[in-house]
Amino acid sequence: MTIHEKMIFTFYAILGLSYGLKFWDPAEENPLLNTYFSNDDITTAFKDLKNQYPDLVEINSLGISSNERRINEITITSNVSSSQRSDKPHVKYVANMHGNEVRGRGLLLKLAYYLVFKSKDADVKKVLDETVLHLVPTLNPDGFASATESCEGTVGRYTSERKDLNRDFPNPFLELGVEMGSEAKMVEEYAARVPAVLGISFHDGSLVVNYPWDGYPGVPSMEYAASPDDQLFVHLAKTYSLNHKTMTKSKSPCGRSYFEDGITNGNQWYQVFNGMQDWNYYYQDCFELTIELGCCKYPPDARSTFTDVWADNFYSIFALTEQAQNGIKGSVLDHTGSPVLGAVISVSGEGKPVTVRHGAGYYWRPLLPGTYNVTASKPGFWNVTRRNIRVGESGATVVPFILIAKSQRNFKADFVQSPRDSNETSGPLSSAPVLTSCTFVLLISSYYSTFLAMFP
């Protein structure tokens, strides 16, 4: 790498990355991290981390594969036992859904070790204090067990049920009659439990960041298929590629395709229907990217492979993780202070709506800097719109909502809640229920508690 390239890389490593993390390879502490771990080895490693760092680590199972191999996830965050009740955004990283694409397995193991080994460093502690990270090194352990070292081919790609896991999810637009296999069903159930804001799926076979849509009806393969959040996805993709050590050095890294800035729209590259990326975005409100880590799918030299993939992706991983902190966040409660699950958050003129899924009523919505009108709605409740919400370059703007059920019309008393500041709240509140003084005090108390909950 020339001095000029080092300067560019250093600039990109700093750009948009406020954590200030210092590079360190966990294989210096545990050389086995530069080897190919079996599925049992991954389970043992997770248990060791849990035993050493019980306040940071939790192990969860997605289920058992067809060939009776357990698919485990490790959750890492500060005060992990209370993470499901906190307002910290969730980010999930998964790998090895094609069993013969292996770099992501080692990359996520190194990430887990890095986070816990360096958890007392101020910058790493900041990551753990602000974010809940979910790591799944393999979604297809059966495929990996049958795979062989080879840069090409499909041996090990499929599950033991002969399913291509990245063609096995419900399609948002077309009824293609896909009967989901065991692993896809596990991912579906897992996604329902983990309200991830951002998702990253690691693959091999190229070197690029791929973003939705992967496939859209009426748009031919190799043509651009923009999602409702296209500009946001371009920003997220470039956040990863520009912080990567080598991804932008060649426009055709594997000699087969042309990529500008190390990113590609999925459909423009090649069309995929029933993929996990589009499914996560459309159905789960998880802004997911597919990241291809290298041209060779299963390299023979594990040591150099995992040494390089960790160095290449270190700053990218944390730069993208930090993006979960940007945009808006808040909670949606009713007048009693109970969460309104299933409420929909819509941003005027910006992307698709997201649904409140968190058990405590929290939501997160990544957004680019700008000024927005944000509406919370649910059938049976009065809509509420917060106007002129400003989103900055970094950090989330807190936008809590309290929705009033239309059934509360029968309240009668001496106070009517109506919007006084059109820049704050609008909607049918001027014709909404008449509230008793006691109910209004409860409502304000709930609103205040909601606001305080944003800053635990």
Side-chain angles (χ1 to χ4, degrees), residues 33 37 42 45-46 104-114 137:
L33 291 173
F37 273 43
I42 292 174
F46 280 1
R105 290 171 63 100
L107 181 62
L108 291 185
L109 282 169
K110 284 196 174 186
L111 178 58
Y113 274 84
Y114 179 87

Side-chain angles (χ1 to χ4, degrees), residues 79 137 158 245 249 292 310-311 319 366 375 405:
N79 302 313
Y158 304 102
K245 193 174 180 181
K249 289 179 67 175
E292 301 275 349
W310 177 247
T375 299

Side-chain angles (χ1 to χ4, degrees), residues 215-348:
Y216 194 83
V219 181
S221 184
M222 302 183 72
E223 291 190 13
Y224 202 102
S227 75
D229 288 282
D230 186 65
Q231 290 305 306
L232 175 61
F233 272 117
V234 169
H235 167 74
L236 294 174
K238 285 187 176 181
T239 296
Y240 199 95
S241 70
L242 296 180
N243 282 284
H244 191 278
K245 193 174 180 181
T246 64
M247 197 170 277
T248 59
K249 289 179 67 175
S250 171
K251 296 183 186 298
S252 184
C254 302
R256 294 188 294 269
S257 301
Y258 178 93
F259 305 122
E260 188 71 40
D261 294 326
I263 69 173
T264 184
N265 173 259
N267 195 85
Q268 191 174 39
W269 185 14
Y270 63 92
Q271 194 171 69
V272 171
F273 287 110
N274 299 92
M276 186 173 70
Q277 174 179 269
D278 288 1
W279 173 82
N280 261 313
Y281 171 53
Y282 186 89
Y283 288 110
Q284 304 299 328
D285 301 329
C286 175
F287 292 75
E288 180 158 296
L289 301 173
T290 300
I291 298 173
E292 301 275 349
L293 293 172
C295 303
C296 182
K297 294 181 178 181
Y298 196 153
D301 186 348
R303 186 178 184 279
S304 64
T305 295
F306 291 137
T307 298
D308 291 345
V309 77
W310 177 247
D312 290 348
N313 290 272
F314 176 82
Y315 289 109
S316 297
I317 286 174
F318 288 105
L320 186 59
T321 299
E322 187 179 26
Q323 294 299 310
Q325 305 297 331
N326 299 340
I328 59 173
K329 70 175 183 177
S331 63
V332 183
L333 307 179
D334 66 13
H335 74 285
T336 70
S338 299
V340 184
L341 298 181
V344 173
I345 303 297
S346 305
V347 180
S348 58

